């Protein structure tokens, strides 16, 4: 029997939509939703399991799943024997310590001898040890933010994304102890067939990610500034330059990285470029 990759995804939560979207963009079709617990892809040797995120590292460690998508915060907190195959760039958040807004905060030593509520006792415990602070950790599984207002703890350590939950609970963020994003995890041992399938999938994931970070750009350039403009648009190998019907002008096609986008566009315009079109790229393969 030929090999099939078993991939564990969060059934429903903050990781789900982006995980489903990623496989869709990789051209891997499968059904999900309406209470489904399992689904087989119709066009890739993969079977998907829909689980709670907390169960995914264990399933991967035991080899029940060959791949899983979880938040780095969950993977590290659980300390399972798994390997991180790739960072996925979505569900970004941070694990932070927060205290009531009126608290005088001069540094992490303010927590000496205090009670801290968290769902991340291992990550917090390691951080406090590193910082040489002794504090009492109260592990609770949810609604951590209310702990100070009900007298359970003087501080909390919880996941923050926009910061609005802390704000609405009268708390201020004082230390970030861990930064997280969604990651792809796999068992430490994989047979050659599974590894080959994972490599095939990773090739597609990387093509999708690179495309998202780049834009296709088309512009008209006066021939006298072509050298200057093409130097700003190196593209994947070099830009395509073709003459326009109008004498003395050319059309330049290239690829531009999102991070350098605005800076380069300004320089390109200053060099005399006109009619600049910027187009999203669906896939990019070097
Ligand atoms: O049901 P299941 O167990 O599968 O899901 P879950 O409820 O345990 O997890 P879920 O879906 O809430 O989060 C899954 C993963 O998303 C987390 O492990 C993080 O890696 C990541 N993530 C990204 C977040 C957030 N952003 C986030 N904002 N996880 C939780 N939050 C919560 C946080 O706990 C706090 O209550 O949102 C609140 C803070 O948000 P802001 O925007 O107000 O700061
Ligand atoms: Zn969970």
């Amino acid at each position: 029997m030929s090999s099939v990759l078993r991939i564990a995804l969060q059934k429903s939560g903050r990781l789900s939509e982006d995980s489903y979207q990623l496989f869709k963009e990789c051209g891997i079709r499968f059904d999900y939703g309406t209470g489904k617990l399992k689904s087989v892809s119709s066009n890739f040797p993969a079977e998907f399991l829909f689980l709670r995120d907390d169960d995914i590292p264990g399933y991967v460690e035991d080899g029940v799943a060959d791949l899983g998508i979880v938040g780095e915060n969950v993977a590290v907190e659980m300390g399972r024997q798994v390997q991180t195959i790739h960072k996925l760039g979505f569900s970004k958040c941070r694990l932070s310590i927060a205290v009531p807004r009126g608290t005088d905060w001069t540094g992490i030593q303010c927590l000496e001898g205090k009670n801290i509520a968290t769902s991340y006792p291992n990550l917090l415990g390691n951080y406090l040890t590193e910082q040489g602070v002794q504090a009492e950790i109260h592990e609770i599984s949810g609604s951590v933010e209310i702990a100070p207002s009900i007298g359970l703890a003087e501080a909390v350590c919880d996941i923050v994304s926009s910061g609005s939950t802390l704000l609405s609970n009268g708390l201020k963020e004082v230390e970030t102890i861990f930064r997280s994003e969604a990651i792809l995890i796999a068992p430490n041992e994989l047979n050659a067939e599974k590894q080959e399938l994972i490599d095939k999938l990773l090739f597609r994931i990387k093509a999708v990610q690179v495309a998202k970070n780049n834009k296709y750009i088309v512009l008209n350039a006066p021939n006298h500034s072509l050298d200057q403009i093409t130097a700003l648009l190196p593209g994947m190998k070099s830009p395509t330059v073709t003459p326009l019907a109008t004498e003395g002008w050319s059309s330049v096609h290239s690829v531009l990285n999102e991070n350098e986008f605005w800076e380069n566009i300004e320089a390109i315009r200053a060099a005399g470029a006109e009619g600049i079109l910027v187009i999203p790229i669906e896939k990019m393969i070097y």
Side-chain angles (χ1 to χ4, degrees):
M1 198 182 93
S2 60
S3 208
V4 169
L5 267 190
R6 280 189 137 191
I7 307 174
L9 302 181
Q10 188 188 29
K11 184 167 163 36
S12 123
R14 286 185 164 90
L15 297 159
S16 318
E17 268 314 311
D18 285 323
S19 304
Y20 300 151
Q21 182 65 22
L22 177 68
F23 285 100
K24 201 169 167 186
E25 288 170 343
C26 289
I28 296 172
R29 286 198 291 268
F30 63 97
D31 291 332
Y32 57 85
T34 59
K36 256 186 182 302
L37 299 177
K38 230 167 92 170
S39 176
V40 177
S41 170
S42 56
N43 63 351
F44 191 86
E47 179 180 49
F48 291 85
L49 309 177
F50 306 112
L51 305 166
R52 287 201 57 187
D53 67 343
D54 318 67
D55 294 332
I56 293 175
Y59 274 62
V60 171
E61 182 185 60
D62 298 343
V64 174
D66 307 306
L67 275 181
I69 294 182
V70 281
E72 227 171 336
N73 51 315
V74 168
V76 176
E77 175 64 26
M78 296 196 137
R80 297 288 195 151
Q81 296 304 304
V82 296
Q83 52 172 324
T84 300
I85 295 273
H86 197 62
K87 296 202 176 204
L88 297 172
F90 56 82
S91 299
K92 286 191 174 170
C93 57
R94 54 196 188 271
L95 183 64
S96 289
I97 295 172
V99 294
R101 217 170 298 145
T103 312
D104 273 336
W105 183 261
T106 51
I108 193 74
Q109 68 282 359
C110 294
L111 293 178
E112 187 67 37
K114 298 278 168 38
N115 293 306
I116 313 170
T118 190
S119 307
Y120 295 87
N122 296 325
L123 277 164
L124 175 60
N126 290 341
Y127 182 79
L128 292 176
T129 305
E130 264 170 34
Q131 299 292 320
V133 171
Q134 288 210 312
E136 191 72 33
I137 297 176
H138 279 271
E139 185 179 352
I140 51 179
S141 58
S143 305
V144 172
E145 305 87 357
I146 62 159
S149 66
I150 59 171
L152 182 71
E154 285 100 354
V156 301
C157 176
D158 198 14
I159 297 291
V160 183
S161 145
S162 67
S164 63
T165 305
L166 293 182
L167 199 67
S168 62
N169 284 282
L171 301 170
K172 63 176 178 186
E173 189 176 354
V174 288
E175 300 278 333
T176 296
I177 73 165
F178 189 78
R179 292 194 182 272
S180 175
E181 63 185 87
I183 55 171
L184 203 52
I185 56 170
N188 285 335
E189 304 286 335
L190 285 160
N191 69 36
E193 275 186 9
K194 301 267 186 185
Q195 188 63 56
E196 200 177 309
L197 287 174
I198 290 177
D199 290 344
K200 213 167 154 181
L201 175 64
L202 268 182
F203 171 77
R204 295 190 191 190
I205 291 176
K206 286 176 185 166
V208 168
Q209 285 181 327
V210 176
K212 280 199 176 135
N213 292 332
N214 287 277
K215 295 279 181 277
Y216 189 72
I217 177 164
V218 182
L219 56 85
N220 296 329
N223 288 347
H224 61 79
S225 51
L226 268 179
D227 285 350
Q228 204 182 340
I229 290 174
T230 53
L232 290 162
L233 290 169
M236 289 171 79
K237 195 179 273 303
S238 68
T240 307
V241 180
T242 48
L244 282 188
T246 306
E247 189 75 24
W249 284 78
S250 296
S251 169
V252 179
H253 296 225
S254 194
V255 165
L256 191 55
N257 191 282
E258 186 82 357
N259 299 327
E260 302 150 6
F261 187 76
W262 287 112
E263 230 168 87
N264 275 10
I265 286 287
E266 280 162 19
I268 288 163
R269 280 191 66 216
E274 288 179 7
I276 304 171
L277 303 181
V278 179
I279 304 152
I281 301 170
E282 199 175 297
K283 310 277 188 303
M284 205 165 141
I285 295 143
Y286 279 92

